[in-house]
Every structure is written in C-alpha cells, then in structure tokens.
Amino acid sequence: MRIFKVVFLNQGKVYEIFAKTVQQGELYGFVEIEDLIFQETSTVVVDPSAEKLKQEFSGVHRTRIPIHAVIRIDEVEKNEHGPGKIIEIDSDSNITPFPNHLFDPKKRPEK
C-alpha cells in the first residue's frame, strides 16, 4: 500500500498530513488528497498539534489544496509514517510562502 506525506501551507502554518491517495484535482490548480491517515495514539502522552490536525480534518473524505500552497509530496513506507502535525512559522523559519496578492490573513481591509 502506498502512503503519501503532503506538506503544505495553510493560513500561515505548515501542515503535514498523510493520505492513501493524492492526485491532480478536477478543479484546475488544485491537488486532491483522499483517505487521510491519522496515527492512533496508544500512549498517555498526546501531541496537541496532531490532535488539532485530527480534529480539523475529522469527517473529511477528500480535500483539495491549491497547488501553490504545496511544499512537498513524498511517497513513504507504510510503517514509516508518523503523526501528522501543524507547525507554526516564525521569523527564524526557512519556509517562505509564494507571493499571493489575493488574500493576506494578517492584513485587515481598511474601513
């Protein structure tokens, strides 16, 4: 079974998710990700980032991500996939999003 690790930007954060199916979307400029995989925790220690990601995508069968938001897509071994996570981007990060002049969540429209 193939498993894909998809890393993408969403609202100023880096998301890392695992899925069974990744393909070019029906909508032009989008990547479709189906059958999301979340690692089941069997320990008492819970990663809040992984739990937040699991909550955000609960009930989602298929999601579409804009191609310009995708950082990387890797095919990984079945037993090598870890928990998905959400990473905050800070000023020391080496990740820079592509310029997008359509919407900037940090800027509010002036009234």
Side-chain angles (χ1 to χ4, degrees):
M1 178 171 67
R2 298 177 355 167
I3 295 180
F4 297 92
K5 177 172 100 173
V6 182
V7 182
F8 63 95
L9 289 168
N10 183 29
Q11 298 178 349
K13 299 175 186 165
V14 176
Y15 282 59
E16 183 178 292
I17 61 174
F18 293 88
K20 294 180 184 176
T21 307
V22 176
Q23 60 192 4
Q24 180 176 340
E26 295 171 353
L27 298 170
Y28 181 73
F30 286 81
V31 173
E32 283 186 2
I33 301 171
E34 293 183 66
D35 301 322
L36 301 176
I37 300 170
F38 299 101
Q39 188 175 28
E40 297 299 321
T41 56
S42 60
T43 63
V44 177
V45 179
V46 177
D47 181 8
S49 174
E51 285 300 310
K52 184 176 178 186
L53 185 70
K54 192 173 183 179
Q55 255 183 350
E56 185 169 337
F57 286 99
S58 68
V60 174
H61 173 69
R62 176 186 306 152
T63 186
R64 292 169 180 90
I65 302 192
I67 192 71
H68 67 272
V70 175
I71 297 171
R72 181 178 182 146
I73 300 174
D74 295 327
E75 185 176 346
V76 297
E77 295 294 326
K78 180 180 180 181
N79 57 357
E80 290 186 13
H81 77 78
K85 56 188 163 189
I86 301 173
I87 304 166
E88 295 282 338
I89 298 177
D90 57 5
S91 60
D92 297 332
S93 177
N94 63 353
I95 298 172
T96 304
F98 286 114
N100 184 355
H101 301 290
L102 299 176
F103 176 72
D104 186 355
K106 296 176 188 151
K107 293 183 181 177
R108 301 274 185 214
E110 294 184 24
K111 294 179 182 180

